[in-house]
Amino acid sequence: MLRCMTQQSAVLARSAFAGPQALSKAGGNTLAPGRVARVPVSRPRVGRGRLMCSAAAEETKNFLLEYVYVPEILDKRGPYREEHLAMAKEQIAAGNMKYGGPLNPPTGAVFLWTCDDPAIIEEYAKKDPYVKAGLVPSYKITEWSILLK
């Protein structure tokens, strides 16, 4: 289970455990001796403080989507390229895809996905104009464990 809190909530939580003086410094009210502080924990939201996750948090899975291109892809991709790139940019904006691009020489392409469900990737590949037009005769989706960063 993923347990996260905003940076502000973490400061309040630490302050509550440190005692009334620390809570006062964190912007809260001082407490009478023997009273328990009620610490608000807000749900994580994008753009609302830095998101902090506990060590027990599960990580999102990583997948590689690997395309194999037909020969002469550079000559054949023209009518489909704009829609192909727009679809990839949508997935990057949604946070599902991190990176993507062709191999050099252009015998295929690789896309790094970070999501929980590989069905999202399968659906993407089936709708990709390169795949539909036969420019990608085969592709595969492989879960990838990142060991080093």
Side-chain angles (χ1 to χ4, degrees), residues 43-62:
R43 293 183 181 198
R45 293 186 190 163
V46 175
R48 188 153 185 228
R50 193 175 77 197
L51 188 63
M52 299 169 31
C53 297
S54 70
E58 295 175 16
E59 291 192 27
T60 302
K61 293 180 181 180
N62 297 290

Side-chain angles (χ1 to χ4, degrees), residues 23-116:
L23 184 61
S24 179
K25 289 177 187 175
N29 297 323
T30 56
L31 299 172
R35 299 284 316 247
V36 176
R38 293 182 184 251
V39 180
V41 177
S42 62
R43 293 183 181 198
R45 293 186 190 163
V46 175
R48 188 153 185 228
R50 193 175 77 197
L51 188 63
M52 299 169 31
C53 297
S54 70
E58 295 175 16
E59 291 192 27
T60 302
K61 293 180 181 180
N62 297 290
F63 295 92
L64 293 177
L65 170 60
E66 299 173 72
Y67 280 1
V68 174
Y69 288 156
V70 296
E72 320 313 306
I73 183 71
L74 300 179
D75 299 329
K76 299 174 182 175
R77 70 182 181 186
Y80 314 101
R81 190 159 195 257
E82 189 175 318
E83 186 182 353
H84 166 76
L85 293 175
M87 282 182 60
K89 288 176 183 177
E90 284 177 18
Q91 291 301 318
I92 289 171
N96 293 326
M97 184 190 297
K98 296 269 274 179
Y99 306 103
L103 301 174
N104 191 9
T107 57
V110 178
F111 304 87
L112 172 59
W113 290 72
T114 56
C115 59
D116 294 323

